[in-house]
């Protein structure tokens, strides 16, 4: 992607080097456009060496190339980090007296501004008004982080970390078509205890559910991920609830269902559980050569949720999954349509797990059928498929 990084004249200008590094290492082309004052803090040579592009601040060199318009027109994404109070004032009033100002007026690319300054300057009514003007114009302005500033003082004004700035910038490229929506997603495979050390489980890794959680968050949704045996997640972009067995998963789904706009049941739920779980480890010497486990059916959590949604007249969109050993695409599609009806959900995503395919892998291939009668097939990374599932969710919500 062609990214322009504007750097303005504050002490945090040296941190632009980390941003350039991370972007170029991720394969992006980075054109740095510093202001004159930024070059008092960091040298053009450093910026050129890291970005592999010539760095210029001057409007009046290479005019034949119409550089001031070209950089803005070519950019797919613009990040300004750090942005000083003075820069915010110039940008808010549309001043184009240097290369960066011109670039910003000539671009149609999304712009992320990451301010850094002393707390007093950030909180000054002039800066507050400039930030409000820019935000009202569709410019994304990050709030600075709190902490130690250049002098002895602490407070809001620090430049956020490079990866935070980059994540916020890339979010601008994603449609916010799930903004304000609450999505509950289950992921992973439940485990039904036999005794304190053994269980009946399945091969689900939780990768598809996790990909849906992250993609939904990127599209603006507030996500609760109910994870069955997929590890712990803290500091993630979603609320995380950890469960082990079907009963715990059902309880978590029931707790979160009434507030949810969407329920995605990507978890592989055990259909049966052991009726009498042994409270001590079963020993072969005591049992002999045969063991009979009496299994009883778990409730169908998705069907129960669909029943409750209709009884309580909720408008929750429901997505079910089906892992089938279909053998052919046509059979998979037929099984998907049948399961859509038996589960009563709005969308059903089926994949063919014959010969150990898909479980634990980063790619998948699915048939997606909807209650409104559409059927589509998708193949690619679980992240790609997550977005296609969410496209169908957005359509169903509408
Ligand atoms: O019937 P089957 O297990 O193939 O259905 C799969 C779908 O139903 C998945 O969405 C899964 O999360 C859900 N399910 C459930 N409760 C069960 C079994 C499956 O909600 N006991």
């Amino acid at each position: 992607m062609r990214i322009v990084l504007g750097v303005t004249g504050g002490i945090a200008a040296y941190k632009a080097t980390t941003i350039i590094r991370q972007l170029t290492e991720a394969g992006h082309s980075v054109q740095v456009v510093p202001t004159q004052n930024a070059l008092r803090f960091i040298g053009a040579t450093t910026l050129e060496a890291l970005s592999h592009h010539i760095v210029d601040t001057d409007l009046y060199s290479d005019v034949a190339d119409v550089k001031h318009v070209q950089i803005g027109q070519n950019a797919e994404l613009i990040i300004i980090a750090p942005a000083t109070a003075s820069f915010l004032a110039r940008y808010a009033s549309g001043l184009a007296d240097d290369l960066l100002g011109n670039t910003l007026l000539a671009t149609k690319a999304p712009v992320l501004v990451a301010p850094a300054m002393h707390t007093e300057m950030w909180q000054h009514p002039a800066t507050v008004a400039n930030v409000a003007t820019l935000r009202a114009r569709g410019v994304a302005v990050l709030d600075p982080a709190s902490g130690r500033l250049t002098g002895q003082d602490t407070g809001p004004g620090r430049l956020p970390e490079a990866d935070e700035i980059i994540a916020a910038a890339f979010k601008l490229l994603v449609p916010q078509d799930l903004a304000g929506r609450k999505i509950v997603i289950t992921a992973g495979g439940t485990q039904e205890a036999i005794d304190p050390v053994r269980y009946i489980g399945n091969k689900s890794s939780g990768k598809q559910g996790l990909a849906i959680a992250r993609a939904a968050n990127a599209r603006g949704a507030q996500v609760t991920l109910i994870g069955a045996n997929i590890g712990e997640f803290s500091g993630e972009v979603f609320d995380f609830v950890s469960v082990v067995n079907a009963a715990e998963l059902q309880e978590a789904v029931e707790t979160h269902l009434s507030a949810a706009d969407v329920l995605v049941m990507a978890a592989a739920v055990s259909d049966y559980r052991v009726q009498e779980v042994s409270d001590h480890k079963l020993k072969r010497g005591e049992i002999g050569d045969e063991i009979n486990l009496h299994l009883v059916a778990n409730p169908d959590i998705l069907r129960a949720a669909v029943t409750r949604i209709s009884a309580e007249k909720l408008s929750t969109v429901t997505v079910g999954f089906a892992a089938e050993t279909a053998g052919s695409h046509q059979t998979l599609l037929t099984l998907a349509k049948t399961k859509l009806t038996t589960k009563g959900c709005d969308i059903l995503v089926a994949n063919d797990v014959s010969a150990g395919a898909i479980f634990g892998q980063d790619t998948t291939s699915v048939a997606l059928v909807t209650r409104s009668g559409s059927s589509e097939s998708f193949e690619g990374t679980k992240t790609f498929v997550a977005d296609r599932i969410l496209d169908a969710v957005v359509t169903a919500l509408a």
Side-chain angles (χ1 to χ4, degrees):
M1 180 172 302
R2 293 182 304 275
I3 301 172
V4 169
L5 177 67
V7 184
T8 73
I11 187 69
Y14 75 94
K15 294 184 179 170
T17 54
T18 315
I19 300 174
I20 302 168
R21 253 258 136 78
Q22 289 194 15
L23 290 173
T24 52
E25 278 175 6
H28 301 292
S29 155
V30 182
Q31 172 71 62
V32 185
V33 183
T35 59
Q36 269 297 333
N37 283 340
L39 297 181
R40 294 169 182 253
F41 293 90
I42 183 159
T45 318
T46 306
L47 299 173
E48 281 185 4
L50 289 174
S51 69
H52 317 298
H53 279 100
I54 288 177
V55 166
D56 211 344
T57 61
D58 187 11
L59 264 180
Y60 302 104
S61 61
D62 302 328
V63 278
D65 293 340
V66 208
K67 192 172 55 180
H68 68 291
V69 182
Q70 210 186 55
I71 296 175
Q73 283 175 340
N74 281 342
E76 292 171 280
L77 177 66
I78 297 188
I79 301 172
I80 314 292
T84 59
S86 165
F87 165 79
L88 293 175
R90 279 180 283 130
Y91 189 20
S93 54
L95 264 187
D97 56 354
D98 62 1
L99 189 56
L100 183 57
N102 275 263
T103 299
L104 288 166
L105 291 197
T107 196
K108 289 200 162 55
V111 180
L112 179 96
V113 175
M117 63 197 72
H118 280 278
T119 305
E120 293 82 353
M121 297 173 83
W122 172 247
Q123 291 173 345
H124 191 282
T127 306
V128 171
N130 290 329
V131 168
T133 301
L134 290 169
R135 284 180 174 155
R137 257 180 225 155
V139 174
V141 182
L142 284 184
D143 284 330
S146 271
R148 179 81 191 267
L149 303 171
T150 320
Q152 293 302 312
D153 45 347
T154 56
R158 279 174 66 84
L159 188 70
E161 295 303 320
D163 46 5
E164 237 173 275
I165 294 172
I166 292 169
F170 277 95
K171 218 169 161 176
L172 301 180
L173 300 165
V174 180
Q176 294 298 292
D177 49 7
L178 287 169
R181 301 292 194 175
K182 288 193 172 136
I183 303 201
V184 174
I185 300 163
T186 67
T190 59
Q191 294 176 357
E192 302 297 335
I194 297 171
D195 68 16
V197 293
R198 303 183 181 92
Y199 59 82
I200 297 172
N202 61 67
K203 289 185 172 178
S204 177
S205 64
K207 283 187 177 176
Q208 185 64 79
L210 198 53
I212 298 170
R214 291 188 174 133
N217 172 267
R219 291 166 76 152
Q222 190 185 324
V223 178
T224 300
L225 180 67
I226 302 170
N229 310 299
I230 58 171
E232 291 298 326
F233 295 85
S234 61
E236 264 280 5
V237 290
F238 42 73
D239 292 330
F240 184 67
V241 182
S242 179
V243 298
V244 174
N245 55 33
E248 288 174 11
L249 192 134
Q250 180 167 33
E251 196 188 326
V253 167
E254 279 174 3
T255 305
H256 291 91
L257 184 63
S258 55
D261 297 295
V262 183
L263 171 67
V264 180
M265 286 289 296
V269 183
S270 180
D271 283 313
Y272 296 92
R273 67 180 182 279
V274 178
Q275 189 173 34
E276 299 269 338
V277 179
S278 171
D279 60 4
H280 62 276
K281 185 180 171 190
L282 298 172
K283 293 201 167 39
R284 187 171 174 164
E286 292 165 12
I287 295 166
D289 286 345
E290 275 185 35
I291 182 167
N292 286 309
L293 295 173
H294 187 76
L295 303 181
V296 290
N298 276 326
D300 189 319
I301 301 165
L302 176 56
R303 277 188 60 181
V306 168
T307 306
R308 184 174 148 201
I309 287 162
S310 120
E312 295 180 14
K313 298 195 171 33
L314 303 173
S315 51
T316 322
V317 168
T318 49
V319 184
F321 276 71
E324 305 284 1
T325 46
S328 78
H329 186 70
Q330 196 47 47
T331 312
L332 185 67
L333 209 56
T334 310
L335 290 169
K337 286 178 183 164
T338 309
K339 191 146 285 182
L340 179 81
T341 315
T342 53
K343 297 278 177 180
C345 51
D346 298 299
I347 297 166
L348 194 116
V349 184
N351 47 31
D352 194 340
V353 294
S354 302
I358 295 171
F359 281 131
Q361 294 175 11
D362 292 328
T363 54
T364 187
S365 159
V366 304
L368 185 154
V369 294
T370 69
R371 200 137 67 106
S372 55
S374 71
S375 67
E376 292 175 282
S377 296
F378 301 108
E379 202 172 337
T381 62
K382 288 185 175 172
T383 302
F384 169 78
V385 170
D387 271 312
R388 303 295 72 76
I389 294 167
L390 292 173
D391 291 343
V393 165
V394 169
T395 306
L397 282 166

